[in-house]
Amino acid sequence: MRFQAAVLRSYDSPFTVEDVTLRTEPDDGEILVEIAGAGMCRTDLAVRRSAGRSPLPAVLGHEGAGVVVRTGGGPDTALDVGDHVVLSFDSCGHCRNCLGAAPAYCDSFASLNLFGGRQEEPPRHTDAAGKALAPRWFGQSSFAEYALVPARNAVRVDPALPLELLGPLGCGFLTGAGAVLNTFGAGPGDTLAVLGAGAVGLAAVMAATAAGALTVAVDRHPQRLALAERFGAIPLPAGTAGLPERIRRLTGGGAQYALDTTASAPLINTALQALRPTGSLGLVARLHTALSLEPGTLDRGRGIRHICEGDAVPGLLIPRLTRLWQAGRFPFDQLIRTYPLADINEAERDCDAGRVVKPVLLPERKSR
Ligand SMILES: [Zn+2]
Ligand SMILES: [Zn+2]
């Protein structure tokens, strides 16, 4: 099967939209999905800084949503042709953390999703010249018209939903909302500080507001603060003098929870200083340097931990988020701007410049 996909050929080149060939007979436990839309996530762009660890050339994209067009056999394939699905991250299904309903902490998470994928012999994707492309990214490679994915990563959704916009529920929005709803278990009257109001931070704001919690959002982009305010947060510019004290005052003595999406050491220290005793800080962005903490920031029962994929079981959290959206309480569609897949480089530039919160790429079906 031949169709168009966006291929990243080197760490510093633009994406090229080109014909690729996919072996399309799904194996046991796999499905073939016609992609309706795929979100662009920071992790796609971080491949450029992966120092060669993520193999290229590759079809990236790991926030896909689409329609099942073919199914393989096997016990995992409880999906039928025509089902609408959101695709989430890959996990092995049989390690200790997968068995313990914590698939984001799968022993094989990094290798399956980021650094090479499952063994593919022969390779599933080849380019127009017949050369092998890297194994699928995050079990998907959804910057394409079609993706062949493990059925265990696909979550069936209501066909009445706007399918082309749902992909980011599989990673970015899941990460922010899951941190609030799963990791923190925030409820009415709880207090939360969100550092960095991008796709993950704004999803956290929306989930906190839906849960009845009070949120203070910090960012350096005024447009993003305006969005945070629209979704119920108190906005604070990142450069505000005495930021920790301001947050403590706004949250009645310190936030119970803080979520950092920036990986900035000064902001992580700010977040800890803004917590009340016993408060917890969650980190979702990968640190690129050593992190030094100011004396006293962890005193009095304060804690800090990394949160991967919002501690989510996608099959549980994604339907919860779509129900909230249907009730008007998780308006994630307001964060999205759509682009034809052919404009993927423009989407990347807009994302880097902070002009768009969540680009979603729509394949054009010229090649069918
Ligand atoms: Zn596992
Ligand atoms: Zn992602």
Side-chain angles (χ1 to χ4, degrees):
M1 174 180 225
R2 203 171 160 112
F3 55 84
Q4 290 210 310
V7 180
L8 188 67
R9 291 201 164 266
S10 80
Y11 297 103
D12 49 12
S13 64
F15 290 90
T16 51
V17 176
E18 49 186 273
D19 277 355
V20 302
T21 301
L22 178 66
R23 173 163 66 79
T24 44
E25 269 328 302
D27 287 340
D28 277 2
E30 288 186 338
I31 52 172
L32 178 68
V33 176
E34 182 177 3
I35 298 296
M40 178 178 273
C41 175
R42 291 276 162 195
T43 310
D44 294 309
L45 307 181
V47 167
R48 298 189 178 285
R49 300 188 306 276
S50 71
R53 293 185 71 199
S54 291
L56 295 183
V59 178
L60 303 178
H62 65 283
E63 291 185 345
V67 180
V68 178
V69 291
R70 212 170 291 172
T71 62
D76 281 343
T77 321
L79 290 165
D80 289 319
V81 170
D83 280 348
H84 288 199
V85 288
V86 173
L87 308 179
S88 198
F89 56 88
D90 202 3
S91 58
C92 78
H94 47 72
C95 73
R96 190 184 171 108
N97 286 339
C98 282
L99 292 174
Y105 304 96
C106 174
D107 288 354
S108 306
F109 185 91
S111 59
L112 286 177
N113 291 290
L114 300 165
F115 302 133
R118 297 180 190 230
Q119 283 301 316
E120 296 182 351
E121 202 49 59
R124 285 195 180 80
H125 276 111
T126 47
D127 67 12
K131 286 222 177 72
L133 301 175
R136 63 192 160 193
W137 164 251
F138 272 82
Q140 301 187 22
S141 289
S142 48
F143 289 161
E145 291 179 73
Y146 292 89
L148 191 59
V149 305
R152 67 175 264 105
N153 309 345
V155 177
R156 189 195 285 116
V157 291
D158 183 345
L161 294 162
L163 183 62
E164 71 281 5
L165 303 182
L166 300 184
L169 295 175
C171 185
F173 298 158
L174 173 112
T175 296
V180 170
L181 300 175
N182 293 330
T183 315
F184 300 149
D190 275 336
T191 49
L192 169 73
V194 171
L195 292 299
V200 172
L202 289 168
V205 168
M206 285 182 198
T209 301
L214 173 109
T215 307
V216 179
V218 177
D219 201 287
R220 59 197 163 91
H221 293 288
Q223 327 83 279
R224 295 193 172 199
L225 284 181
L227 282 170
E229 188 170 22
R230 190 201 298 176
F231 302 131
I234 301 169
L236 271 185
T240 303
L243 201 49
E245 297 75 31
R246 288 288 298 279
I247 297 171
R248 285 203 301 270
R249 217 172 314 133
L250 289 166
T251 53
Q256 184 65 48
Y257 308 109
L259 184 69
D260 177 75
T261 71
T262 68
S264 144
L267 282 179
I268 290 170
N269 276 281
T270 291
L272 286 168
Q273 289 158 350
L275 287 176
R276 55 175 287 104
T278 74
S280 321
L281 167 64
L283 306 181
V284 295
R286 172 173 281 261
L287 296 170
H288 289 285
T289 54
L291 173 65
S292 55
L293 298 179
E294 300 290 334
T297 44
L298 288 176
D299 288 2
R300 306 191 64 206
R302 293 178 178 88
I304 180 170
R305 66 160 281 208
H306 180 256
I307 304 169
C308 189
E309 302 284 358
D311 283 344
V313 174
L316 295 177
L317 185 56
I318 291 172
R320 209 172 156 195
L321 297 179
T322 57
R323 282 195 297 272
L324 277 174
W325 180 80
Q326 285 168 316
R329 298 176 65 190
F330 191 72
F332 66 88
D333 54 308
Q334 295 183 27
L335 304 179
I336 289 174
R337 187 192 301 168
T338 59
Y339 298 76
L341 181 61
D343 293 346
I344 184 169
N345 294 305
E346 183 188 341
E348 180 177 5
R349 282 193 296 275
D350 287 353
C351 197
D352 278 341
R355 285 190 291 267
V356 57
V357 176
K358 176 58 73 180
V360 168
L361 302 163
L362 308 179
E364 293 163 296
R365 311 218 166 269
K366 286 196 287 260
S367 52
R368 241 195 293 179

